[in-house]
Amino acid sequence: MIPDFRDDGYLPNGVHVATEAEVTFRFGASTRQRRRLTIRLRRWLELARIIGAKRFFIDGSFVTSKPEPDDIDAVIWIPVDFADRLNRGDMEVVELDSMLVTRRPEELFAAEDRRDWDDWVEFFGRTREADGRRKGIVEIEL
């Protein structure tokens, strides 16, 4: 379940697990910009499921109370056979790898192992404001 926003517009500290439907309902439908970002998110999730990603979380102004978010940041924990599948030319793996290598879109990041994942959770679990206060992120069930 995704908790209510704090007074500062962020989610409470922690990793909040939700379904794709919950995320879409909560963050993705209220404005044209949010709907546009949701379309991007849906493709990322589709690729994550096809390639067998271990985990997937989102952040950015998309998961704030901001009516017109600038972006949606996401981290995908890629499977251990990702490089092998890339070498075999698996279409979805090639598509995802292209996004990650070219940084287009620039908001999608990869974790290759638990350490990477934990580092990304720590990085995105803080605001970019001067005080760097803790905030919540949303892990989407795959």
Side-chain angles (χ1 to χ4, degrees):
M1 183 174 127
I2 305 168
D4 292 335
F5 294 115
R6 301 184 309 212
D7 291 341
D8 63 3
Y10 293 104
L11 293 172
N13 184 35
V15 178
H16 308 287
V17 180
T19 65
E20 181 178 353
E22 290 170 318
V23 167
T24 299
F25 180 77
R26 176 72 183 277
F27 303 114
S30 62
T31 66
R32 185 177 193 183
Q33 172 67 356
R34 286 186 171 278
R35 288 189 296 275
R36 186 182 70 76
L37 291 172
T38 299
I39 290 168
R40 178 181 288 184
L41 173 61
R42 284 184 176 153
R43 181 60 183 154
W44 294 346
L45 287 169
E46 180 181 26
L47 289 171
R49 289 178 178 118
I50 290 170
I51 70 161
K54 293 183 177 199
R55 297 174 81 178
F56 188 98
F57 79 76
I58 58 172
D59 185 52
S61 53
F62 186 75
V63 297
T64 69
S65 63
K66 193 174 183 181
E68 297 294 326
D70 299 319
D71 65 1
I72 178 169
D73 295 313
V75 175
I76 181 173
W77 186 342
I78 58 175
V80 294
D81 66 345
F82 189 84
D84 292 337
R85 292 172 65 188
L86 180 63
N87 290 333
R88 287 195 311 260
D90 289 6
M91 285 185 352
E92 290 81 8
V93 172
V94 170
E95 180 181 349
L96 182 59
D97 184 68
S98 176
M99 290 179 192
L100 294 167
V101 169
T102 64
R103 303 287 306 126
R104 289 193 178 103
E106 62 185 22
E107 304 95 355
L108 183 62
F109 305 90
E112 295 183 8
D113 55 30
R114 168 61 74 177
R115 182 176 169 192
D116 283 351
W117 179 262
D118 291 344
D119 287 348
W120 284 121
V121 168
E122 173 63 26
F123 177 79
F124 284 110
R126 293 194 177 274
T127 69
R128 304 297 164 258
E129 294 155 13
D131 62 1
R133 66 189 169 278
R134 305 283 310 160
K135 64 179 179 68
I137 60 175
V138 178
E139 180 172 352
I140 302 174
E141 295 174 342
L142 297 175

